[in-house]
Amino acid sequence: MLNAITDRHLRWGFPKCFNRIKKLGYQWNHKRVYRVYCELKLNLRVKRKKRIPPRCPEKSLVPNKQGECWSMDFMSDSSRNQRTFNVIDDFNCEALGIDIAVSLPAERITRYLDKLAEYHGYPLKIRVDNGSEFTGKTFINWAKSHDIAIDY
């Protein structure tokens, strides 16, 4: 019975299999079903979340001139279901730009940064957090192509 259920539903774990057996009218308790489940080697491997390697925090230095270092981050407005992408120059705390959209993937961010660089020039360093938009290949390759250091 257990083999038939797991053959049909490959990704089901023990609780779903046990509930299906109970619905089919079998009166086996969970300990017996779990013992058989383990003997048949049906345990599913638990996939763990990928961990970002730890970075040693350093005291952030104040840049010496304008356009040397930019800081970027996201904010969200839950009432309007929108996200904002903010870019700030660290030298004088000037907001260089704010992009507003429902979805802000890395491709859109790099296009927006290219638009900002047309007016302000490319920075030497960018300060960001560990968000998925900033740790992905698209953003990292964009930064490498423009010789920009990323400070996490």
Side-chain angles (χ1 to χ4, degrees):
M1 173 59 59
L2 205 51
N3 274 333
I5 291 172
T6 54
D7 287 343
R8 192 164 180 201
H9 306 283
L10 297 174
R11 299 296 302 160
W12 277 16
F14 169 73
K16 281 192 175 185
C17 291
F18 177 69
N19 287 336
R20 177 57 61 97
I21 288 173
K22 286 297 247 186
K23 283 183 182 179
L24 293 174
Y26 291 94
Q27 296 299 318
W28 299 327
N29 67 9
H30 67 92
K31 292 178 273 189
R32 180 179 182 180
V33 175
Y34 187 70
R35 180 177 49 80
V36 173
Y37 183 81
C38 291
E39 285 173 2
L40 292 173
K41 297 193 184 334
L42 297 173
N43 293 14
L44 295 175
R45 194 179 116 246
V46 177
K47 286 191 171 183
R48 299 283 179 208
K49 183 180 175 183
K50 280 189 179 178
R51 290 281 184 196
I52 297 172
R55 297 184 174 98
C56 49
E58 299 172 2
K59 190 168 176 96
S60 55
L61 301 172
V62 179
N64 298 326
K65 61 181 179 177
Q66 190 170 0
E68 186 177 323
C69 182
W70 291 357
S71 291
M72 301 184 308
D73 203 5
F74 295 96
M75 292 177 67
S76 63
D77 182 8
S78 59
S79 63
R80 293 187 181 207
N81 196 21
Q82 291 179 339
R83 294 184 78 196
T84 63
F85 172 62
N86 308 309
V87 182
I88 298 171
D89 188 351
D90 287 349
F91 177 72
N92 55 2
C93 297
E94 174 188 5
L96 301 178
I98 299 173
D99 190 16
I100 301 171
V102 175
S103 175
L104 291 165
E107 293 85 14
R108 180 172 175 151
I109 289 169
T110 55
R111 281 196 313 268
Y112 186 70
L113 290 173
D114 284 331
K115 283 183 183 178
L116 285 177
E118 287 176 12
Y119 185 74
H120 298 284
Y122 288 102
L124 300 175
K125 182 170 73 169
I126 291 179
R127 261 188 215 137
V128 293
D129 58 4
N130 286 334
S132 59
E133 295 88 353
F134 301 131
T135 57
K137 289 181 183 176
T138 306
F139 181 74
I140 292 172
N141 291 339
W142 174 86
K144 282 182 184 176
S145 67
H146 296 290
D147 296 324
I148 298 172
I150 301 174
D151 184 16
Y152 290 100

